[in-house]
Amino acid sequence: MSDNAALSLQSPDFAGNQNPKNENTVLAPRQAASTNLSNKFWPELGQLENAFDISHGTLWSFMNFEGRAAYNPNLLEDFHGWHRNIRALKEEMGEHFKFVVLGSRHPDFFCLGGDLDYFSNCINSKDRERLYSYGRSCVEILHKNWRSIDSEVLTIGLVQGDALGGGFESLLSFDYICAEKGAKFGFPEQMFGLFPGMGALTFLGRSLGFAKAEQLVRTGRTLTAEELYEMGVVHILAEKGEGLKTVQRFIAKNEQKHAALCTYRKAVKRANPIPFEELDDVVSLWADAGMRISSRELKVMQRLVAAQTKKTSPAAE
């Protein structure tokens, strides 16, 4: 690895991307910033901002949504590219690449979940294949994230706002979840006749036991970060507005223990394996359920889309 292979977040080549409602956002690369490493591994990824902190071997990534704070199809493509680049970066950096952190630029939400507008269009047109393909793309991303430990990269989900539906599901694939106090989590899918089909039952079933996981999914109960911390789902609880600093402290404290942590996480996942086929089978059942949604339930979904769009639009912030 050359001396100029990576940029530190403290480098003048990085500029603060400040959010008026969340001043503790990590520094992001200026458009003009250029190194061999950034050019090679981090071409334009659309809705994902990335910066590599060489001093702590950490890739910081933040979602910057187009429109609603949801996993739209273009963002899913960005995540597939993100994983390809993470693998390549690990090959280049070796033991100097230890952690990945994913957060959100949105001031109020980590993510609202799946693209309900896209779901609605698929259901209206009776296009099960498109709906299934969307779900499969999601679980491919989650399973790759869950398998990041195979490359000895530890993943951290940074939650500074609410995580609902697929937003909550996606976090369950991380090795560690750091959430700020007051952040809310839940599965609202039962409101419109669906269930969370991209990993909730599988991941929560492994961590909480299936009966508790099924109850949370079935009831759609909203939980706080504090409640999930007590349940062991959230691993690191941060004060409001202190999520970024809390993750930085966690990394600084544990970077010398990285090898031991990786071995432990491998043992955890060996004891609780998650085969991709299980995730894929549930997605197929989820797509079947989507095709059976009633017109009334579809209207509920569309009203929720409208409400979320209004809440996440620039005028509402």
Side-chain angles (χ1 to χ4, degrees):
M1 182 185 68
S2 69
D3 292 339
N4 295 322
L7 293 173
S8 166
L9 289 175
Q10 307 305 320
S11 162
D13 286 314
F14 281 78
N17 186 352
Q18 296 298 323
N19 186 316
K21 291 191 178 182
N22 182 2
E23 295 182 354
N24 292 317
T25 51
V26 76
L27 300 179
R30 285 200 183 106
Q31 290 298 106
S34 176
T35 66
N36 291 336
L37 193 74
S38 61
N39 287 340
K40 183 175 180 180
F41 295 113
W42 304 113
E44 178 60 43
L45 282 180
Q47 298 169 68
L48 286 173
E49 299 175 7
N50 301 281
F52 187 70
D53 176 5
I54 192 172
S55 62
H56 297 289
T58 302
L59 174 67
W60 293 87
S61 299
F62 284 81
M63 296 179 286
N64 197 355
F65 302 99
E66 294 175 356
R68 293 173 57 251
Y71 291 128
N72 57 72
N74 288 337
L75 180 54
L76 296 186
E77 285 303 310
D78 294 336
F79 271 116
H80 286 295
W82 185 68
H83 276 299
R84 286 193 296 271
N85 292 351
I86 286 172
R87 288 194 301 272
L89 183 60
K90 183 63 178 181
E91 290 176 5
E92 178 87 3
M93 303 292 288
E95 64 182 12
H96 300 287
F97 179 20
K98 299 178 178 181
F99 299 94
V100 170
V101 183
L102 178 68
S104 171
R105 290 297 192 200
H106 198 282
D108 300 313
F109 303 107
F110 173 80
C111 183
L112 290 167
D115 189 338
L116 299 185
D117 208 17
Y118 185 87
F119 297 176
S120 178
N121 289 335
C122 291
I123 293 166
N124 265 326
S125 60
K126 302 296 183 185
D127 194 338
R128 181 195 179 279
E129 187 57 33
R130 281 178 64 217
L131 192 62
Y132 164 74
S133 295
Y134 174 97
R136 183 181 169 93
S137 180
C138 289
V139 296
E140 286 174 350
I141 293 165
L142 266 60
H143 200 254
K144 288 174 187 173
N145 201 50
W146 187 78
R147 293 289 301 270
S148 292
I149 196 63
D150 293 349
S151 301
E152 304 223 326
V153 174
L154 293 168
T155 57
I156 304 170
L158 171 57
V159 185
Q160 297 171 288
D162 296 347
L164 303 175
F168 186 7
E169 278 181 300
S170 63
L171 286 163
L172 299 171
S173 68
F174 285 80
D175 292 306
Y176 303 98
I177 300 173
C178 174
E180 294 185 0
K181 290 181 178 178
K184 295 182 178 62
F185 300 76
F187 299 111
E189 286 87 348
Q190 46 81 32
M191 292 172 54
F192 44 81
L194 268 178
F195 60 89
M198 276 69 92
L201 288 168
T202 295
F203 287 108
L204 275 181
R206 299 295 200 279
S207 61
L208 290 179
F210 192 79
K212 186 64 176 177
E214 192 276 333
Q215 181 189 44
L216 292 178
V217 168
R218 173 170 42 83
T219 63
R221 177 186 167 199
T222 299
L223 298 166
T224 64
E226 293 90 329
E227 290 174 299
L228 287 178
Y229 180 73
E230 290 299 321
M231 296 165 68
V233 176
V234 166
H235 308 91
I236 309 163
L237 189 62
E239 296 295 328
K240 184 69 175 175
E242 294 293 316
L244 174 62
K245 292 179 181 177
T246 301
V247 171
Q248 289 173 325
R249 286 194 294 269
F250 174 85
I251 290 171
K253 179 181 178 181
N254 289 287
E255 58 184 319
Q256 297 304 316
K257 307 174 187 175
H258 178 263
L261 288 177
C262 285
T263 303
Y264 173 69
R265 291 301 301 169
K266 287 179 182 179
V268 168
K269 294 181 182 187
R270 179 63 185 90
N272 253 328
I274 296 178
F276 177 77
E277 292 75 17
E278 177 180 335
L279 297 170
D280 190 32
D281 287 346
V282 174
V283 167
S284 184
L285 293 168
W286 170 82
D288 289 342
M291 293 298 103
R292 297 180 178 131
I293 283 181
S294 69
S295 58
R296 181 188 64 80
E297 290 165 334
L298 188 58
K299 288 178 182 177
V300 172
M301 182 187 294
Q302 291 166 340
R303 285 198 296 269
L304 185 57
V305 170
Q308 290 179 348
T309 301
K310 182 178 180 181
K311 193 169 186 179
T312 60
S313 66
E317 294 174 5

